């Protein structure tokens, strides 16, 4: 059953989407060609080297601009990555607050935040991009995101036994994205709150429970 703290997740989703819209509208005008050149360089370097091994300075050098300009347009490296693969909000805006969630509650809180967000107008654009990436030759971008951002933030907290954190996160990812990638009916049309509540115990088991081969 959801805890008392989970009741605020709808407000969290609303705040995230509102903030994302505000930031998108407030992006510095600049030169469109310059911004696109930065994104192209970022996309190529992230795909080739991963997120951890790609610096703002390297992206700037590849795009032929000053690193300060990259920060000016896109902020942090995770925000640049989000822009490069068209994630509508900074991933850390979702992942960061999970640091305050007890480990034994992450599996219940995560679906109740992510699924409504992905069902929002902002999220639909990201899902379309995700399908395109998985169908094309840039799947390394998603792998980098899962392994170097999600696993670093969540996987490190559930890394028991040692080395299992990344596998646990990958199990969670497979559970969360199935509705949007496979689009199986009637599952696809079920209310998102029903899905979040139904899969939460399984997500929690992936994170902290005993899994075959990991004990």
């Amino acid at each position: 059953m959801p805890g008392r703290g989970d009741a605020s997740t709808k407000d969290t989703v609303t705040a995230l989407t509102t903030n994302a819209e505000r930031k998108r509208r407030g992006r510095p005008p600049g030169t469109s060609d310059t911004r696109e050149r930065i994104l192209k360089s970022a996309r190529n370097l992230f795909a080739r080297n991963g997120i951890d091994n790609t610096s703002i300075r390297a992206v700037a050098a590849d795009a032929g601009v000053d690193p300060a300009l990259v920060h000016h347009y896109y902020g942090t490296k995770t925000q640049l990555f989000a822009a490069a693969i068209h994630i509508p909000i900074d991933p850390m805006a979702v992942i960061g607050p999970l640091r305050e969630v007890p480990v034994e509650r992450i599996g219940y809180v995560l679906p109740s935040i992510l699924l409504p967000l992905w069902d929002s107008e902002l999220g639909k654009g990201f899902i379309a991009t995700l399908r395109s990436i998985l169908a094309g030759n840039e799947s390394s971008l998603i792998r980098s995101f899962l392994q170097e951002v999600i696993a670093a933030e969540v996987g490190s907290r559930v890394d028991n036994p040692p080395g299992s954190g990344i596998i646990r996160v990958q199990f969670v990812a497979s559970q969360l994205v199935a509705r949007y990638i496979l689009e199986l009916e009637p599952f696809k049309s079920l209310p998102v709150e029903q899905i979040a509540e139904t899969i939460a115990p399984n997500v929690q088991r992936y994170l902290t429970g005993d899994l075959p081969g990991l004990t």
Side-chain angles (χ1 to χ4, degrees), residues 92-181:
M92 295 311 298
V94 175
I95 302 168
L98 289 178
R99 296 170 182 169
E100 307 301 321
V101 176
V103 170
E104 65 272 13
R105 295 297 307 161
I106 294 177
Y108 294 88
V109 174
L110 190 60
S112 63
I113 291 178
L114 284 184
L115 297 186
L117 180 62
W118 289 347
D119 260 28
S120 70
E121 287 304 311
L122 285 172
K124 289 174 183 175
F126 167 60
I127 296 300
T129 301
L130 179 61
R131 291 197 197 100
S132 175
I133 289 174
L134 293 176
N137 58 2
E138 294 183 311
S139 58
S140 59
L141 289 170
I142 298 301
R143 286 198 299 271
S144 293
F145 179 61
L146 286 174
Q147 294 176 347
E148 299 174 31
V149 177
I150 303 292
E153 288 293 329
V154 179
S156 60
R157 297 183 62 192
V158 295
D159 194 35
N160 183 30
S164 67
I166 182 62
I167 301 173
R168 292 180 181 278
V169 168
Q170 289 172 355
F171 271 117
V172 170
S174 69
Q175 180 83 74
L176 291 176
V177 303
R179 176 176 187 248
Y180 302 94
I181 302 302

